[in-house]
Amino acid sequence: MTERRRSILITGAASGIGRESALLFAERGWLVAACDRDEAGVRQVAEASGAHAFTLDVSDRAAVTATMASFGELTGGTLDCVFANAGIDAKGEFAAMPWERIVSVIEVNLLGAMSVIHAALPLLKLTENSLVLATASGSAIFGVAGMAAYSASKRGVRGLIEALSIELAPHGVRAADLLPGIVDTGMLAPESKAALPTEGKWRVMSGRDVAEAAWAAYHSDALHFFVPGELSDYDRRATAEAQAVRDGWIAGQFP
């Protein structure tokens, strides 16, 4: 009997973490749905990897459910992993940010992740050892000044995953998140990258590094995956010594 081919649906797959994850899972034999509102970008990923391309705006609920149904037809009604990765950033002082931009960040990063995961659950529940995976952020450990809306959205993603890890356990569905620090993607301006550390927990990581963490998440029962791993120490400190971490940021230091 031929072994069933595992499947993953990835949002935000046209670039950065999503692109690298689509390439990695496809390289390792998975059936991949690469989803992104950037039609040209996601088709390029599909051409490079053999993934199935879906043009998808995660803030469009009807499009999310239609895409999930279409991929479910390709997999025979199963789904091993849904990877809610799509996200947009919003840098700048919160008070000066247009309200419409703040709303967009929440709609894509948090509500979009919720929508994709919610639509995937019927397929996941029919699949043994399936996984809900989402990209949170190092800013979900402790909010980052100049990225308040983004931090809030990613903290919400983390809370969602923690809740689902309990709620879905009776159904045999796992949940995990990725908490990358600084990643070399389109969100990172070249001038910012030049000023960042090359060592330690705030060193710049590659999209492939985070994709490897996504791969590890499927093959593990862990809840949080920090990229790099040293961020787990920061996570513990942010909980135990929140005021000290705040004061370090105010002083202009990487705590």
Tab-separated table of all heavy atoms in Angstrom, residues 42-68:
chain	number	residue	atom	x	y	z
A	42	VAL	N	3.598	34.109	-5.730
A	42	VAL	CA	3.252	32.755	-5.314
A	42	VAL	C	3.330	31.775	-6.492
A	42	VAL	O	3.679	30.598	-6.311
A	42	VAL	CB	1.870	32.737	-4.636
A	42	VAL	CG1	0.738	32.767	-5.639
A	42	VAL	CG2	1.743	31.549	-3.697
A	43	ARG	N	3.087	32.263	-7.688
A	43	ARG	CA	3.233	31.397	-8.855
A	43	ARG	C	4.717	31.080	-9.102
A	43	ARG	O	5.060	29.972	-9.536
A	43	ARG	CB	2.609	32.041	-10.086
A	43	ARG	CG	1.084	32.088	-10.014
A	43	ARG	CD	0.428	32.338	-11.343
A	43	ARG	NE	-1.027	32.330	-11.210
A	43	ARG	CZ	-1.753	31.226	-11.141
A	43	ARG	NH1	-1.166	30.046	-11.221
A	43	ARG	NH2	-3.073	31.296	-10.998
A	44	GLN	N	5.574	32.035	-8.816
A	44	GLN	CA	7.014	31.776	-8.961
A	44	GLN	C	7.464	30.698	-7.977
A	44	GLN	O	8.256	29.816	-8.321
A	44	GLN	CB	7.793	33.076	-8.732
A	44	GLN	CG	9.274	33.004	-9.072
A	44	GLN	CD	10.118	32.390	-7.973
A	44	GLN	OE1	9.801	32.531	-6.794
A	44	GLN	NE2	11.201	31.729	-8.356
A	45	VAL	N	6.939	30.759	-6.766
A	45	VAL	CA	7.259	29.740	-5.769
A	45	VAL	C	6.773	28.373	-6.238
A	45	VAL	O	7.478	27.362	-6.114
A	45	VAL	CB	6.642	30.100	-4.400
A	45	VAL	CG1	6.776	28.945	-3.416
A	45	VAL	CG2	7.296	31.352	-3.837
A	46	ALA	N	5.575	28.339	-6.784
A	46	ALA	CA	5.015	27.085	-7.278
A	46	ALA	C	5.861	26.513	-8.416
A	46	ALA	O	6.130	25.304	-8.469
A	46	ALA	CB	3.574	27.299	-7.730
A	47	GLU	N	6.283	27.373	-9.320
A	47	GLU	CA	7.109	26.919	-10.438
A	47	GLU	C	8.446	26.374	-9.972
A	47	GLU	O	8.988	25.422	-10.532
A	47	GLU	CB	7.324	28.069	-11.424
A	47	GLU	CG	6.054	28.467	-12.183
A	47	GLU	CD	6.214	29.769	-12.937
A	47	GLU	OE1	7.337	30.340	-12.905
A	47	GLU	OE2	5.231	30.222	-13.551
A	48	ALA	N	8.980	26.972	-8.890
A	48	ALA	CA	10.285	26.556	-8.379
A	48	ALA	C	10.217	25.282	-7.552
A	48	ALA	O	11.236	24.600	-7.384
A	48	ALA	CB	10.890	27.683	-7.538
A	49	SER	N	9.039	24.964	-7.027
A	49	SER	CA	8.952	23.880	-6.051
A	49	SER	C	7.994	22.756	-6.413
A	49	SER	O	8.050	21.680	-5.816
A	49	SER	CB	8.523	24.453	-4.704
A	49	SER	OG	7.202	24.966	-4.776
A	50	GLY	N	7.073	23.008	-7.334
A	50	GLY	CA	6.031	22.036	-7.608
A	50	GLY	C	4.834	22.171	-6.694
A	50	GLY	O	3.912	21.350	-6.723
A	51	ALA	N	4.829	23.226	-5.874
A	51	ALA	CA	3.684	23.486	-5.003
A	51	ALA	C	2.480	23.929	-5.837
A	51	ALA	O	2.620	24.330	-6.995
A	51	ALA	CB	4.034	24.565	-3.984
A	52	HIS	N	1.303	23.869	-5.228
A	52	HIS	CA	0.087	24.391	-5.856
A	52	HIS	C	-0.088	25.839	-5.415
A	52	HIS	O	-0.075	26.139	-4.222
A	52	HIS	CB	-1.128	23.566	-5.436
A	52	HIS	CG	-1.086	22.158	-5.939
A	52	HIS	ND1	-1.648	21.788	-7.145
A	52	HIS	CD2	-0.545	21.037	-5.409
A	52	HIS	CE1	-1.448	20.493	-7.340
A	52	HIS	NE2	-0.793	20.011	-6.303
A	53	ALA	N	-0.242	26.737	-6.360
A	53	ALA	CA	-0.356	28.164	-6.065
A	53	ALA	C	-1.812	28.572	-5.913
A	53	ALA	O	-2.661	28.202	-6.732
A	53	ALA	CB	0.294	28.986	-7.179
A	54	PHE	N	-2.087	29.335	-4.857
A	54	PHE	CA	-3.413	29.897	-4.638
A	54	PHE	C	-3.264	31.378	-4.337
A	54	PHE	O	-2.532	31.758	-3.409
A	54	PHE	CB	-4.116	29.219	-3.454
A	54	PHE	CG	-4.473	27.783	-3.677
A	54	PHE	CD1	-3.595	26.777	-3.322
A	54	PHE	CD2	-5.697	27.435	-4.252
A	54	PHE	CE1	-3.917	25.438	-3.520
A	54	PHE	CE2	-6.031	26.103	-4.451
A	54	PHE	CZ	-5.139	25.104	-4.087
A	55	THR	N	-3.929	32.216	-5.115
A	55	THR	CA	-3.946	33.643	-4.816
A	55	THR	C	-4.956	33.864	-3.701
A	55	THR	O	-6.144	33.576	-3.862
A	55	THR	CB	-4.334	34.456	-6.055
A	55	THR	OG1	-3.431	34.138	-7.125
A	55	THR	CG2	-4.252	35.955	-5.762
A	56	LEU	N	-4.487	34.361	-2.559
A	56	LEU	CA	-5.347	34.427	-1.381
A	56	LEU	C	-5.017	35.628	-0.514
A	56	LEU	O	-3.866	35.821	-0.114
A	56	LEU	CB	-5.195	33.149	-0.548
A	56	LEU	CG	-5.947	33.121	0.786
A	56	LEU	CD1	-7.458	33.168	0.556
A	56	LEU	CD2	-5.552	31.900	1.602
A	57	ASP	N	-6.038	36.409	-0.211
A	57	ASP	CA	-5.967	37.466	0.791
A	57	ASP	C	-6.624	36.898	2.045
A	57	ASP	O	-7.825	36.614	2.053
A	57	ASP	CB	-6.719	38.706	0.300
A	57	ASP	CG	-6.683	39.859	1.292
A	57	ASP	OD1	-6.346	39.636	2.474
A	57	ASP	OD2	-7.013	40.989	0.886
A	58	VAL	N	-5.832	36.723	3.115
A	58	VAL	CA	-6.368	36.045	4.301
A	58	VAL	C	-7.435	36.859	5.017
A	58	VAL	O	-8.140	36.322	5.881
A	58	VAL	CB	-5.245	35.675	5.293
A	58	VAL	CG1	-4.277	34.679	4.662
A	58	VAL	CG2	-4.505	36.912	5.800
A	59	SER	N	-7.580	38.134	4.676
A	59	SER	CA	-8.644	38.933	5.279
A	59	SER	C	-9.981	38.762	4.570
A	59	SER	O	-10.996	39.315	4.996
A	59	SER	CB	-8.247	40.420	5.299
A	59	SER	OG	-8.140	40.934	3.984
A	60	ASP	N	-9.990	37.970	3.484
A	60	ASP	CA	-11.208	37.693	2.720
A	60	ASP	C	-11.715	36.309	3.130
A	60	ASP	O	-11.214	35.282	2.675
A	60	ASP	CB	-10.883	37.738	1.217
A	60	ASP	CG	-12.105	37.509	0.336
A	60	ASP	OD1	-13.105	36.927	0.804
A	60	ASP	OD2	-12.041	37.896	-0.853
A	61	ARG	N	-12.719	36.281	3.991
A	61	ARG	CA	-13.190	35.011	4.548
A	61	ARG	C	-13.699	34.063	3.472
A	61	ARG	O	-13.411	32.854	3.513
A	61	ARG	CB	-14.301	35.277	5.576
A	61	ARG	CG	-14.927	34.028	6.181
A	61	ARG	CD	-13.929	33.194	6.963
A	61	ARG	NE	-14.550	32.015	7.561
A	61	ARG	CZ	-13.894	31.075	8.217
A	61	ARG	NH1	-12.586	31.166	8.367
A	61	ARG	NH2	-14.542	30.042	8.744
A	62	ALA	N	-14.430	34.560	2.514
A	62	ALA	CA	-14.947	33.689	1.465
A	62	ALA	C	-13.806	33.053	0.673
A	62	ALA	O	-13.863	31.867	0.312
A	62	ALA	CB	-15.873	34.480	0.536
A	63	ALA	N	-12.770	33.829	0.404
A	63	ALA	CA	-11.627	33.300	-0.330
A	63	ALA	C	-10.884	32.253	0.491
A	63	ALA	O	-10.397	31.254	-0.045
A	63	ALA	CB	-10.682	34.436	-0.716
A	64	VAL	N	-10.796	32.471	1.799
A	64	VAL	CA	-10.128	31.496	2.676
A	64	VAL	C	-10.847	30.157	2.635
A	64	VAL	O	-10.235	29.095	2.455
A	64	VAL	CB	-10.056	32.032	4.121
A	64	VAL	CG1	-9.654	30.922	5.089
A	64	VAL	CG2	-9.052	33.186	4.212
A	65	THR	N	-12.160	30.173	2.797
A	65	THR	CA	-12.909	28.911	2.820
A	65	THR	C	-12.874	28.228	1.457
A	65	THR	O	-12.783	27.000	1.376
A	65	THR	CB	-14.361	29.153	3.261
A	65	THR	OG1	-14.988	30.110	2.405
A	65	THR	CG2	-14.410	29.661	4.693
A	66	ALA	N	-12.904	29.003	0.389
A	66	ALA	CA	-12.851	28.418	-0.956
A	66	ALA	C	-11.495	27.773	-1.218
A	66	ALA	O	-11.410	26.679	-1.799
A	66	ALA	CB	-13.149	29.481	-2.006
A	67	THR	N	-10.434	28.443	-0.802
A	67	THR	CA	-9.086	27.901	-0.989
A	67	THR	C	-8.913	26.614	-0.202
A	67	THR	O	-8.350	25.625	-0.698
A	67	THR	CB	-8.032	28.933	-0.556
A	67	THR	OG1	-8.132	30.083	-1.395
A	67	THR	CG2	-6.624	28.362	-0.654
A	68	MET	N	-9.403	26.604	1.032
A	68	MET	CA	-9.285	25.403	1.860
A	68	MET	C	-10.046	24.242	1.230
A	68	MET	O	-9.571	23.101	1.204
A	68	MET	CB	-9.813	25.687	3.264
A	68	MET	CG	-9.333	24.722	4.316
A	68	MET	SD	-7.541	24.799	4.615
A	68	MET	CE	-7.366	26.475	5.242
